[in-house]
Amino acid sequence: MRDSFGTPIEAGDYVLSAASSSSFFKLGVVYLAPSGRLMMEVTRSNWSGANRRSEVGSNVLVLRKADGTVPAHVAGEKS
């Protein structure tokens, strides 16, 4: 699976997952479920009823990779 900018999503990545239709967002850490699906442990959400664990949605942005690096589309260019 890849995020909206084409960065591969892997277990341990810190991601933003947003639902454009409902304006809900979740921040969390990706993990691999026993079923083989990528899930996320939610650390923050703008919806108080959000589950602590959730499937990684289709509108996803990798904010920080598991190794601590930041994807270029998040870091931006330095002037």
Side-chain angles (χ1 to χ4, degrees):
M1 178 176 203
R2 294 182 177 271
D3 77 358
S4 298
F5 286 86
T7 302
I9 301 173
E10 303 167 306
D13 291 350
Y14 188 67
V15 299
L16 164 66
S17 182
S20 56
S21 61
S22 62
S23 300
F24 294 142
F25 75 83
K26 298 173 283 190
L27 293 168
V29 178
V30 175
Y31 68 94
L32 189 62
S35 65
R37 291 182 9 205
L38 289 177
M39 302 288 288
M40 64 186 292
E41 184 77 32
V42 178
T43 58
R44 285 207 184 198
S45 174
N46 68 334
W47 181 42
S48 59
N51 294 331
R52 300 309 302 163
R53 293 181 182 221
S54 160
E55 188 170 358
V56 176
S58 57
N59 296 320
V60 181
L61 174 67
V62 174
L63 300 174
R64 185 180 62 240
K65 296 295 291 174
D67 63 7
T69 60
V70 177
H73 59 268
V74 174
E77 288 186 30
K78 300 202 181 207
S79 16

